[in-house]
Amino acid sequence: MRDCFCTINLDQEEVYRTQVVEKSLSPFFSEEFYFEIPRTFQYLSFYVYDKNVLQRDLRIGKVAIKKEDLCNHSGKETWFSLQPVDSNSEVQGKVHLELKLNELITDNGTVCQQLVVHIKACHGLPLINGQSCDPYATVSLVGPSRNDQKKTKVKKKTSNPQFNEIFYFEVTRSSSYTRKSQFQVEEEDIEKLEIRIDLWNNGNLVQDVFLGEIKVPVNVLRNDSSHQAWYLLQPKDNGNKSSKTDDLGSLRLNICYTEDYVLPSEYYGPLKTLLLKSPDVQPISASAAYILGEICRDKNEAVLPLVRLLLHHDKLVPFATAVAELDLKDTQEANTIFRGNSLATRCLDEMMKIVGGHYLKVTLKPILDEICESSKSCEIDPIKLKEGDNVENNKENLRYYVDKLFSTIVKSSMSCPTVMCDIFYSLRQMATQRFPNDPHVQYSAVSSFVFLRFFAVAVVSPHTFHLRPHHPDAQTIRTLTLISKTIQTLGSWGSLSKSKSSFKETFMCEFFKMFQEEGYITAVKKFLDEISSTETKESSGTSEPVHLKEGEMYKRAQGRTRIGKKNFKKRWFCLTSRELTYHKQPGKDAIYTIPVKNILAVEKLEESSFNKKNMFQVIHTEKPLYVQANNCVEANEWIDVLCRVSRCNQNRLSFYHPSAYLNGNWLCCQETSEHTLGCKPCTAGVPADIQIDIDEDRETERIYSLFTLNILKLQKMEEACGTIAVYQGPQKEPDDYSNFVIEDSVTTFKTIQQIKSIIEKLSEPHEMYRKKRSSSAKYGSKENPIVGKAS
């Protein structure tokens, strides 16, 4: 049996890893990772490892999916066969090459040919053990009876080396060539010669690591005396694909990949305006935002960009209120209020995820950490009890956790975001109007969201809400499930007010009797009253600092060593809502602390500063702190969370230095004063009420893409409006439009016409961009390198 874990890699750079599943040959990971891809890449790769305590972890196999093929697998669950991992096949990057063929006249007047190979540069070589490599290249002229090899200098600590070295090879020799040589022939057929470039990482004391090769036939110069191009590095001998490999098993993945080309802002005005008018359209089902939700097969695809865009422009509350009102029209019984999976409920779910992240961290994280780290048994199902388990002890453990969590939730109303309170207020008012004879419906309308769809979901899957780094182990999942069930029922107003629980299991009914006291009912009612009032909420400044992010990174020493050289040290970084600290190890006292209020800017640092990738700088009231993250995604996440937590700070900088201050001057602008004003504008925008960065053009582009993808459904909806208008109701072939909500066919028809017109106009610049991109990035350019021939 094996202790397996899986890593997610961009090319060969690891960006995430799962937890270890112990003693299994069929591990079930069940972990989700959502991330922005902050750089260009060739492959999205997944490596399966066998954990080894004493030696290096053993790589069992990998799945590598080309960037171009990702869209074929997007949205599908697929089994992929694991491929062997061979260091000779682990290749990424490209090389810039120029070849020339010169004719030389020798002293005795005969002509011979000379090949000039100019190796200019490489780009995107892999990191070796998380650090930039020390690359060099060997350049060989290979033929049936020759193998001349030359070598470049080693370039230190860079993934983008600039070699700029020229090598000369004799291709044909004159007949008078008499010097003894290892070659038996004096003249060779150019058709059979090729130039081979091999890239290596200089291992110093250990073996050099192969980084990739390219082979270019010399006959590319047949019609032209000069050839210059970028080539993608290839695996050695094409990764030995022809050799038969053992069955290494397979990996099941569900990948969702989207890629959008975002045009300049001015192109999105009409579509944005149409979408932002949605809350005012009567009826709401005739609005552009509602129609988008109707035509997308997966409503979640539409909901995310829509909610972000409406949230950014303070239009979400009126829109969500209007679609929730439409939901209520179809709700016949008060006890089923907002239980469906409609556009309204999904919009609210997404809104709570976006704006409620901080609220969840304040409220739940400390208790969830305690539950996940203490491993107390809470199993109360007699059938599932392990040998030696005491059901009464387990019941006490479970009761302790439920009480602690419940108490924290009902006291947390001051931290509830204003947007959530505003929507809960609207839901409460509408529910009361819809069911005037039910005194409890005003509470169940709110509790069905805040308890059932927010707190209960976050408790049962804390990793999805970034409250825990990984999917918990089986025992902890069971504990969290039991807690979540109880909290959900405690918050369900119907269960409390009618003094009956909704549990099917006898053991849960028995357990829940402990909580059927007046105190719990009063606490829930008070909490629901507070979060559905229109009073502005403020996060209490006196509360404990919220833990936002932590992890291991490298930082450049702040002080000087005895010999005057500043070095990089591995440290454990921890960010709370109050301060950024780093420690020698997790749990140890902080070595250095930066109060969040003192952060003036957080920006990327140019790689050239220290020849290190994934670096960023925290500029504060003292010297800038230079930090290296373990990968590009992690660097992006740290920059993002640091920007968010500090973006309302006073005295934030407008300009910064993208490079470091070294040896008496700034590397970027060569200014000598350490305190001189920055030479580049800062990237962070103006402070926002909601602590998230929303790129509205990007969200609008996503919505444009969704309308384009679903254009046939849009046309069907348009036809349905026409049919309804002509026949005064669905009398003929109702199947064509029975799936759509069309309350007012005339208004809906007009909106669809507007959408189609805007999409058509937006398609033109997209098409122009695509043509320009395909024509400008000619084959062999840096953007579109040549894929070398297979060996």
Side-chain angles (χ1 to χ4, degrees):
M1 304 300 265
R2 288 174 149 169
D3 298 341
C4 298
F5 67 92
C6 185
T7 67
I8 303 174
N9 297 52
L10 288 174
D11 297 322
Q12 284 162 259
E13 183 183 14
E14 182 187 318
V15 291
Y16 284 110
R17 67 169 57 194
T18 66
Q19 265 188 299
V20 178
V21 175
E22 294 181 350
K23 295 184 176 57
S24 175
L25 293 178
S26 302
F28 182 68
F29 297 110
S30 183
E31 295 203 39
E32 271 183 29
F33 300 92
Y34 170 85
F35 58 102
E36 304 282 317
I37 299 180
R39 62 170 177 81
T40 55
F41 68 103
Q42 285 173 249
Y43 289 92
L44 179 66
S45 304
F46 303 84
Y47 291 78
V48 179
Y49 285 83
D50 183 4
K51 183 82 181 158
N52 195 318
V53 180
L54 301 174
Q55 298 171 325
R56 263 181 88 179
D57 298 330
L58 173 71
R59 289 198 284 197
I60 298 169
K62 71 172 179 180
V63 171
I65 305 169
K66 270 188 176 172
K67 182 188 172 184
E68 302 82 70
D69 298 335
L70 276 172
C71 52
N72 302 333
H73 302 291
S74 186
K76 300 172 192 166
E77 203 167 90
T78 315
W79 282 102
F80 294 88
S81 294
L82 288 174
Q83 301 300 317
V85 182
D86 168 4
S87 59
N88 287 340
S89 71
E90 295 287 280
V91 165
Q92 70 177 62
K94 47 199 166 193
V95 61
H96 194 192
L97 193 66
E98 186 178 12
L99 303 178
K100 281 183 184 172
L101 208 52
N102 292 341
E103 288 194 342
L104 297 179
I105 301 173
T106 59
D107 296 341
N108 61 6
T110 56
V111 176
C112 70
Q113 287 183 311
Q114 182 188 54
L115 181 67
V116 183
V117 180
H118 182 184
I119 179 162
K120 295 189 169 186
C122 286
H123 188 269
L125 295 178
L127 301 178
I128 304 291
N129 299 326
Q131 301 294 312
S132 293
C133 51
D134 296 340
Y136 71 89
T138 59
V139 183
S140 314
L141 180 64
V142 182
S145 57
R146 70 190 315 185
N147 190 349
D148 294 355
Q149 190 179 85
K150 301 171 194 282
K151 183 178 160 185
T152 67
K153 291 173 182 164
V154 175
K155 299 290 177 183
K156 290 283 184 185
K157 296 279 174 272
T158 176
S159 296
N160 305 314
Q162 300 287 326
F163 290 112
N164 269 325
E165 293 192 42
I166 299 174
F167 301 97
Y168 299 93
F169 296 92
E170 283 184 357
V171 177
T172 59
R173 290 180 287 281
S174 63
S175 53
S176 59
Y177 187 80
T178 54
R179 202 180 77 193
K180 282 191 176 176
S181 158
Q182 60 187 1
F183 307 121
Q184 298 303 308
V185 289
E186 292 181 352
E187 190 164 327
E188 283 184 288
D189 185 1
I190 285 181
E191 298 290 320
K192 293 174 184 172
L193 293 177
E194 65 180 10
I195 283 291
R196 196 177 83 203
I197 312 281
D198 290 270
L199 265 292
W200 299 86
N201 177 51
N202 183 36
N204 292 324
L205 301 174
V206 294
Q207 193 176 353
D208 292 356
V209 177
F210 174 77
L211 299 177
E213 67 173 27
I214 61 162
K215 295 177 181 178
V216 184
V218 175
N219 65 17
V220 295
L221 295 167
R222 193 189 304 149
N223 304 322
D224 202 344
S225 60
S226 174
H227 169 77
Q228 183 176 192
W230 282 88
Y231 283 85
L232 271 184
L233 287 167
Q234 297 296 310
K236 184 170 279 189
D237 297 329
N238 206 29
N240 301 319
K241 280 183 184 170
S242 57
S243 61
K244 199 176 178 186
T245 56
D246 297 330
D247 181 14
L248 301 172
S250 46
L251 182 65
R252 185 164 53 136
L253 300 168
N254 190 343
I255 301 164
C256 293
Y257 174 75
T258 56
E259 184 179 285
D260 292 316
Y261 296 108
V262 185
L263 301 170
S265 299
E266 60 266 23
Y267 288 99
Y268 296 112
L271 181 56
K272 211 182 299 175
T273 306
L274 186 65
L275 289 161
L276 294 175
K277 275 184 189 167
S278 294
D280 308 317
V281 174
Q282 294 285 345
I284 193 69
S285 59
S287 68
Y290 193 92
I291 290 168
L292 177 69
E294 281 287 277
I295 62 170
C296 286
R297 187 172 60 85
D298 179 1
K299 274 191 170 57
N300 285 345
E301 281 189 329
V303 163
L304 182 60
L306 197 54
V307 166
R308 291 169 75 91
L309 185 68
L310 293 170
L311 203 51
H312 188 67
H313 289 276
D314 292 330
K315 296 279 187 181
L316 184 65
V317 176
F319 178 74
T321 304
V323 290
E325 199 165 4
L326 193 60
D327 256 21
L328 278 172
K329 279 184 190 173
D330 295 332
T331 307
Q332 301 306 318
E333 292 180 38
N335 60 356
T336 61
I337 195 166
F338 300 126
R339 291 294 175 94
N341 225 355
S342 63
L343 182 64
T345 55
R346 289 188 191 194
C347 278
L348 265 70
D349 286 350
E350 200 52 58
M351 175 276 293
M352 291 191 295
K353 265 189 196 171
I354 294 170
V355 303
H358 182 266
Y359 179 31
L360 284 176
K361 277 185 177 158
V362 179
T363 315
L364 301 184
K365 193 174 190 323
I367 303 162
L368 289 174
D369 286 344
E370 184 188 333
I371 294 166
C372 293
E373 284 154 24
S374 68
S375 299
K376 283 183 185 173
S377 177
C378 295
E379 185 55 75
I380 56 171
D381 182 353
I383 299 167
K384 293 186 177 177
L385 284 173
K386 291 178 186 168
E387 200 176 326
D389 268 3
N390 183 319
V391 73
E392 290 306 316
N393 284 352
N394 290 2
K395 206 176 272 189
E396 277 309 306
N397 292 341
L398 186 58
R399 166 124 202 214
Y400 165 76
Y401 286 144
V402 170
D403 267 334
K404 194 166 182 181
L405 205 60
F406 177 78
S407 172
T408 311
I409 289 170
V410 295
K411 289 175 184 169
S412 69
S413 61
M414 285 304 287
S415 302
C416 186
T418 312
V419 179
M420 283 171 66
C421 295
D422 290 345
I423 286 185
F424 293 155
Y425 175 75
S426 299
L427 296 178
R428 189 173 173 171
Q429 301 303 310
M430 288 188 299
T432 309
Q433 285 167 16
R434 177 75 179 86
F435 299 102
N437 300 324
D438 190 329
H440 304 305
V441 76
Q442 58 172 318
Y443 295 113
S444 53
V446 178
S447 68
S448 61
F449 282 102
V450 76
F451 278 102
L452 273 67
R453 292 172 172 270
F454 187 58
F455 286 123
V457 181
V459 168
V460 85
S461 56
H463 61 293
T464 311
F465 290 82
H466 307 294
L467 299 172
R468 293 288 299 167
H470 289 287
H471 194 71
D473 60 60
Q475 184 183 313
T476 310
I477 289 170
R478 178 64 182 157
T479 301
L480 293 174
T481 305
L482 293 170
I483 295 168
S484 177
K485 277 183 170 190
T486 316
I487 290 291
Q488 189 172 318
T489 312
L490 270 172
S492 172
W493 186 255
S495 299
L496 280 177
S497 58
K498 290 163 191 163
S499 294
K500 69 182 180 78
S501 72
S502 56
F503 293 116
K504 291 171 188 169
E505 307 101 323
T506 316
F507 65 89
M508 283 305 290
C509 289
E510 286 300 311
F511 176 67
F512 193 70
K513 283 177 184 172
M514 293 181 174
F515 301 94
Q516 287 177 327
E517 297 168 9
E518 194 60 38
Y520 289 100
I521 297 175
T522 311
V524 170
K525 187 180 174 191
K526 182 173 178 284
F527 171 66
L528 294 174
D529 278 335
E530 286 168 352
I531 62 167
S532 57
S533 73
T534 51
E535 292 170 28
T536 306
K537 297 281 173 286
E538 290 177 15
S539 193
S540 52
T542 55
S543 64
E544 284 295 301
V546 184
H547 182 101
L548 298 172
K549 190 168 175 63
E550 63 181 339
E552 205 168 57
M553 295 189 288
Y554 292 86
K555 62 100 199 165
R556 187 173 184 249
Q558 295 283 65
R560 288 193 173 274
T561 57
R562 283 182 190 172
I563 54 169
K565 185 184 176 186
K566 288 187 178 181
N567 57 355
F568 280 81
K569 288 181 177 170
K570 192 186 279 187
R571 291 288 179 258
W572 185 263
F573 282 77
C574 184
L575 175 67
T576 70
S577 50
R578 292 212 195 136
E579 59 192 22
L580 172 69
T581 53
Y582 59 77
H583 317 244
K584 279 196 172 173
Q585 288 171 338
K588 299 278 185 188
D589 290 340
I591 302 173
Y592 192 73
T593 301
I594 303 171
V596 161
K597 63 181 183 187
N598 290 355
I599 295 175
L600 307 176
V602 183
E603 299 287 348
K604 286 183 178 174
L605 189 71
E606 286 180 358
E607 190 182 324
S608 55
S609 299
F610 301 104
N611 278 333
K612 288 181 185 291
K613 280 181 173 292
N614 308 320
M615 286 205 67
F616 63 93
Q617 51 183 323
V618 181
I619 304 165
H620 56 114
T621 44
E622 294 176 37
K623 287 188 174 182
L625 175 67
Y626 298 131
V627 184
Q628 184 190 24
N630 294 309
N631 59 64
C632 57
V633 172
E634 192 186 342
N636 244 33
E637 286 177 354
W638 272 101
I639 292 168
D640 183 49
V641 73
L642 281 162
C643 281
R644 277 193 227 171
V645 78
S646 65
R647 49 185 298 157
C648 294
N649 286 356
Q650 292 182 328
N651 306 321
R652 275 189 67 90
L653 296 179
S654 302
F655 291 87
Y656 78 106
H657 292 283
S659 278
Y661 183 78
L662 291 174
N663 304 324
N665 70 323
W666 291 100
L667 298 179
C668 40
C669 56
Q670 306 306 312
E671 287 285 340
T672 51
S673 167
E674 195 169 353
H675 305 290
T676 189
L677 186 69
C679 55
K680 191 174 177 182
C682 287
T683 52
V686 292
D689 294 333
I690 300 157
Q691 292 290 292
I692 51 167
D693 288 319
I694 294 175
D695 181 341
E696 53 179 328
D697 294 336
R698 183 182 141 168
E699 304 305 338
T700 315
E701 170 60 36
R702 186 89 284 271
I703 291 169
Y704 158 77
S705 299
L706 290 170
F707 273 130
T708 310
L709 281 169
N710 294 286
I711 197 76
L712 292 175
K713 272 204 178 173
L714 195 64
Q715 284 165 357
K716 242 186 172 175
M717 199 174 184
E718 185 182 29
E719 288 163 20
C721 288
T723 308
I724 292 168
V726 170
Y727 292 103
Q728 305 298 307
Q731 294 169 14
K732 285 206 172 183
E733 300 176 21
D735 288 350
D736 277 356
Y737 46 82
S738 57
N739 296 329
F740 300 124
V741 175
I742 301 172
E743 292 177 288
D744 182 332
S745 57
V746 176
T747 315
T748 308
F749 185 83
K750 280 181 185 169
T751 308
I752 292 172
Q753 292 278 295
Q754 287 176 292
I755 294 168
K756 283 175 71 180
S757 166
I758 289 168
I759 296 306
E760 219 169 281
K761 282 179 187 162
L762 250 179
S763 297
E764 291 169 17
H766 279 89
E767 198 49 47
M768 280 170 63
Y769 174 76
R770 266 192 283 273
K771 280 179 184 168
K772 184 183 169 190
R773 193 165 170 267
S774 57
S775 60
S776 62
K778 66 172 190 175
Y779 197 45
S781 66
K782 190 174 183 180
E783 295 74 29
N784 189 13
I786 294 170
V787 179
K789 66 171 185 170
S791 299

